[in-house]
């Protein structure tokens, strides 16, 4: 990866930035996870390593993008238990569905901020974060700790019309 400047003509600057993502996640958390332990934002990037799950949803349109939610598998099970109001054992499908729903909620709200956005894709679940498309940049990132686990929300978008430093892949 290199720090490059990305400039694409004809695209409006997007309103997706760290603060907007933090507000979206905070609203979602209050709606679905308020009864659980607090969500503690980190001022430093956190790496989610080991046995991880990553839910992602794509955004189509003039500025294609990808929204990811990455958690350790144990945190994914806990998120699913809270979201589904289940105390017992959850099967993998329940965990995948719940984590996909979290990505879908965040993705739908992010999509609303992207000019000329098209459709929101279906959630996909993987055992590692997906590689963003070539020419994408990390538009927003929020790392936090929940129940002692790192949780990472990342928005990747095609470069913006505003000349800005970008991390290209």
């Amino acid at each position: 990866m290199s720090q490059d400047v990305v400039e694409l003509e004809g695209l409006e600057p997007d309103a997706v930035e760290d603060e907007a993502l933090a507000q979206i996640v905070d609203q979602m958390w209050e709606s679905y996870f308020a009864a659980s332990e607090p969500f503690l934002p980190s001022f430093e990037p956190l790496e989610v390593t080991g046995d991880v799950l990553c839910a992602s949803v794509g955004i189509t349109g003039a500025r294609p993008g990808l929204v990811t939610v990455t958690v350790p598998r144990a945190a994914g099970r806990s998120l699913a238990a809270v979201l589904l109001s289940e105390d017992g054992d959850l099967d993998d499908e329940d965990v995948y569905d719940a984590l996909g729903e979290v990505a879908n909620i965040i993705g739908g709200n992010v999509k609303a901020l992207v000019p000329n956005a098209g459709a929101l894709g279906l959630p996909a679940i993987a055992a590692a974060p997906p590689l963003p498309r070539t020419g994408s940049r990390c538009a927003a990132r929020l790392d936090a700790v929940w129940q002692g686990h790192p949780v990472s929300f990342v928005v990747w978008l095609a470069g913006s019309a505003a000349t800005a430093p970008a991390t290209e892949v």
Side-chain angles (χ1 to χ4, degrees):
M1 284 193 267
S2 65
Q3 289 290 336
D4 292 323
V5 173
V6 175
E7 188 172 344
L8 299 177
E9 293 182 27
L11 293 180
E12 301 172 29
D14 54 81
V16 182
E17 54 190 28
D18 292 347
E19 185 175 320
L21 179 60
Q23 289 176 357
I24 290 167
V25 171
D26 187 54
Q27 289 173 359
M28 185 268 312
W29 209 265
E30 285 297 316
S31 295
Y32 296 97
F33 301 100
S36 70
E37 288 186 34
F39 181 79
L40 306 170
S42 173
F43 295 105
E44 298 293 324
L46 299 174
E47 292 300 319
V48 183
T49 59
D51 189 12
V52 303
L53 290 174
C54 179
S56 62
V57 291
I59 300 171
T60 64
R63 171 97 34 83
L66 187 69
V67 176
T68 64
V69 180
T70 307
V71 297
R73 188 174 294 269
R77 287 202 172 284
S78 295
L79 280 170
V82 172
L83 187 65
L84 301 173
S85 300
E86 293 286 333
D87 291 332
D89 287 335
L90 298 171
D91 62 25
D92 286 344
E93 284 300 314
D94 291 332
V95 174
Y96 301 159
D97 287 347
L99 194 55
E101 183 59 24
V102 170
N104 198 47
I105 293 166
I106 301 300
N109 283 280
V110 166
K111 177 184 165 272
L113 299 176
V114 178
N116 302 313
L120 188 67
L122 294 173
I125 307 296
L131 295 174
R133 301 170 95 180
T134 301
S136 294
R137 67 177 182 86
C138 179
R141 180 173 180 152
L142 174 65
D143 293 300
V145 175
W146 181 67
Q147 293 188 342
H149 299 286
V151 180
S152 182
F153 299 87
V154 180
V155 177
W156 295 93
L157 294 175
S160 75
T163 302
T167 303
E168 281 201 43
V169 177

